Amino acid sequence: MKTVVFVTHNNGKFREAKEKFRSIGVELRQYSGGYPEIQADTLEEVALYGVEYLSDKLSEPFFLEDAGLFVDALKGFPGVYSAYVFRSIGCDGILKLLENVVDRSAEFRSVVAYKEPGEEPVVFRGVCRGEISYEKKGSNGFGYDPIFVPVGSNLTFGEMDVKEKNSFSHRGKSLQKLLEYMRRVMGKD
Ligand code: ITT
């Protein structure tokens, strides 16, 4: 069976990817060794730097993913700073910044960069529009999940199981593109 490595220290992300990969008979392995997350203007730059850094360290096909929450009323903040902002002020801090703000619209973005040995990396993107809730709800998932309600649902990601979150989420979409690429280009059915 073909093995693909997902480079992430985030177990929540890995659970979501595992659920997606289940359907195509590829074994997904987590590698938590990490890579330097540079401070850059775009998720793409962060992801591609990570791929470059890892390409001579891993012998199997691998991918990594950089994601972020972009809040319209905050002009896209926390965006590429999402990890730092989550560690410092968390969901409560975002709710505080949006106190008395009526426009709650926001989006999650995901950039997946996949690399086969000896090949150029390929990038897949996924976006999920939604709204920031007025309070935290649900204890599933990770990160900003308890405060994000995707368009098409009344539940936060924190109130959804993995399968339901994948059906709406930025990562569900970018990984779906990766799976279609693997099926199409490499015949990995
Ligand atoms: P990696 O090891 O894969 O980099 P990470 O947790 O550092 O894991 P990111 O840099 O991609 O992941 O994520 C930036 C921040 O955005 C981080 O605090 C995440 O918790 C949060 N985040 C990313 N995707 C999310 C999602 O689907 N739901 C909620 N929060 C998310």
Side-chain angles (χ1 to χ4, degrees):
M1 185 190 271
K2 183 185 169 74
T3 303
V4 170
V5 176
F6 183 7
V7 182
T8 179
H9 69 258
N10 184 320
N11 296 332
K13 281 189 184 182
F14 185 71
R15 264 196 303 279
E16 292 171 19
K18 190 127 187 142
E19 165 64 31
K20 295 283 303 177
F21 269 73
R22 214 191 334 220
S23 60
I24 64 157
V26 168
E27 193 198 339
L28 193 64
R29 191 162 63 74
Q30 183 173 11
Y31 173 72
S32 312
Y35 56 92
E37 288 202 29
I38 56 163
Q39 199 58 67
D41 291 340
T42 64
L43 300 177
E44 280 82 356
E45 286 171 76
V46 179
L48 286 170
Y49 184 88
V51 165
E52 181 67 32
Y53 173 85
L54 289 163
S55 56
D56 58 358
K57 296 181 177 56
L58 296 170
S59 55
E60 289 160 313
F62 71 92
F63 67 92
L64 51 81
E65 190 238 15
D66 199 38
L69 175 67
F70 295 72
V71 178
D72 293 3
L74 304 177
K75 298 186 171 21
F77 183 83
V80 291
Y81 307 106
S82 291
Y84 173 73
V85 170
F86 184 75
R87 281 196 303 272
S88 51
I89 62 172
C91 291
D92 291 327
I94 298 291
L95 291 177
K96 189 99 188 134
L97 288 173
L98 291 179
E99 227 169 41
N100 304 317
V101 175
V102 179
D103 175 12
R104 318 284 300 180
S105 53
E107 66 188 37
F108 267 120
R109 294 183 201 158
S110 159
V111 173
V112 165
Y114 173 76
K115 189 166 183 320
E116 287 265 333
E119 305 283 336
E120 286 300 307
V122 205
V123 169
F124 304 94
R125 297 174 183 82
V127 175
C128 177
R129 294 286 302 166
E131 300 211 325
I132 303 299
S133 56
Y134 284 89
E135 55 184 19
K136 288 188 285 188
K137 280 190 195 156
S139 53
N140 294 337
F142 62 95
Y144 301 103
D145 280 345
I147 58 167
F148 186 83
V149 180
V151 167
S153 176
N154 294 318
L155 301 178
T156 67
F157 277 161
E159 295 175 293
M160 296 182 183
D161 64 23
V162 168
K163 217 174 164 143
E164 190 175 13
K165 179 181 169 187
N166 273 344
S167 74
F168 288 100
S169 80
H170 50 307
R171 183 166 306 104
K173 290 173 185 161
S174 56
L175 290 176
Q176 185 62 33
K177 291 179 188 168
L178 170 60
L179 294 185
E180 280 160 18
Y181 172 83
M182 291 175 72
R183 273 205 201 101
R184 199 177 59 244
V185 177
M186 291 128 59
K188 301 292 184 310
D189 277 295

